[in-house]
Amino acid sequence: SLNNEYIDLATGQQVAIPPSLLISALWIVPDIENACTMDLKASGDLLYLLGVTRKELGGSYYYRLQGVQGNSVPEAAEAGPATARAVHRALAGGLTRACHDCSEGGLAVALSEMALAGRKGDTVDLDRIAAAHAVADEEEIADDWLLFSESNGRYVVEVTPEDRERFEALCSGIPFACIGQVSTRPDLIVHSVDGGEQLFALSVDVLHDAWRGH
């Protein structure tokens, strides 16, 4: 790739990267019925986070907004291949109503994008991530990096309550946590990892305005 650029946080200037190897992968979906979109589907459905969250904020959007560089960049996810296979089995088995990766912006952005796409709200408890051992044991838990870490190999999945047992059995052997549910209110509501107090509640309209840059 010869045409990528980034903003130097120290100078604020746009800098062209050196020529870099870029690998793209494409695949054929054998059955379009198994394709899954990211938009939230129905109130009362459960939300799962698959994969391990670490305090990996180096180069993240969160640090960029804070004016911090950091050196804790995301590493390769040891459970990444197994997690991807579990997601594939869930998709093939019709157990996922919505699915979205956690990448730029981390869990908070993934949840926001799912709410925006479906025009529905979601309620999440961060303490469930640590309780289910879906966070690195050596990390000191904090709300901000749970929300904005850009650790690799993670997905947010919407599952009906009726499919809960089948889905959790399918995820046996990989890190996962049931972190909340799709709500009746069109708001993204997040509760703290320490005590479960409400951190914030943002309406879908507010999220939409932020997404549009208003």
Side-chain angles (χ1 to χ4, degrees):
S1 174
L2 304 175
N3 192 34
N4 285 311
E5 298 178 334
Y6 70 96
I7 302 298
D8 187 325
L9 295 178
T11 65
Q13 295 181 341
Q14 197 162 348
V15 181
I17 68 169
S20 306
L21 175 64
L22 175 64
I23 301 174
S24 299
L26 301 176
W27 195 253
I28 296 174
V29 178
D31 186 354
I32 192 64
E33 294 295 328
N34 290 333
C36 184
T37 56
M38 70 175 178
D39 49 302
L40 296 176
K41 302 299 189 301
S43 301
D45 281 353
L46 305 174
L47 294 172
Y48 285 84
L49 175 64
L50 277 60
V52 174
T53 302
R54 299 179 182 275
K55 190 178 180 181
E56 296 178 317
L57 293 162
S60 66
Y61 271 102
Y62 179 62
Y63 269 10
R64 178 176 175 179
L65 290 173
Q66 300 296 320
V68 177
Q69 292 189 23
N71 58 5
S72 55
V73 297
E75 298 180 358
E78 292 184 8
T83 304
R85 285 192 289 269
V87 171
H88 181 266
R89 291 194 298 269
L91 290 168
L95 299 179
T96 60
R97 302 196 74 181
C99 183
H100 193 23
D101 65 303
C102 291
S103 52
E104 294 177 331
L107 174 63
V109 170
L111 292 168
S112 299
E113 290 176 342
M114 295 176 80
L116 279 172
R119 303 298 294 183
K120 295 183 180 298
D122 35 13
T123 301
V124 171
D125 295 310
L126 296 180
D127 59 347
R128 296 186 183 184
I129 303 176
H133 304 290
V135 64
D137 292 335
E138 70 272 16
E139 306 292 1
E140 182 179 348
I141 310 299
D143 296 317
D144 60 348
W145 67 259
L146 284 178
L147 284 169
F148 300 109
S149 168
E150 297 185 3
S151 293
N152 290 314
R154 297 180 301 149
Y155 306 84
V156 179
V157 181
E158 177 185 353
V159 177
T160 66
E162 294 76 16
D163 288 328
R164 178 172 192 160
E165 290 187 8
R166 291 175 59 203
F167 181 79
E168 292 187 357
L170 183 149
C171 292
S172 177
I174 66 168
F176 76 92
C178 182
I179 60 173
Q181 64 183 29
V182 183
S183 61
T184 55
R185 293 171 49 187
D187 301 312
L188 169 58
I189 301 173
V190 176
H191 294 94
S192 170
V193 70
D194 184 15
E197 296 182 1
Q198 181 173 302
L199 285 176
F200 58 82
L202 298 173
S203 71
V204 171
D205 289 336
V206 169
L207 295 174
H208 180 267
D209 288 344
W211 178 68
R212 293 295 299 269
H214 293 169

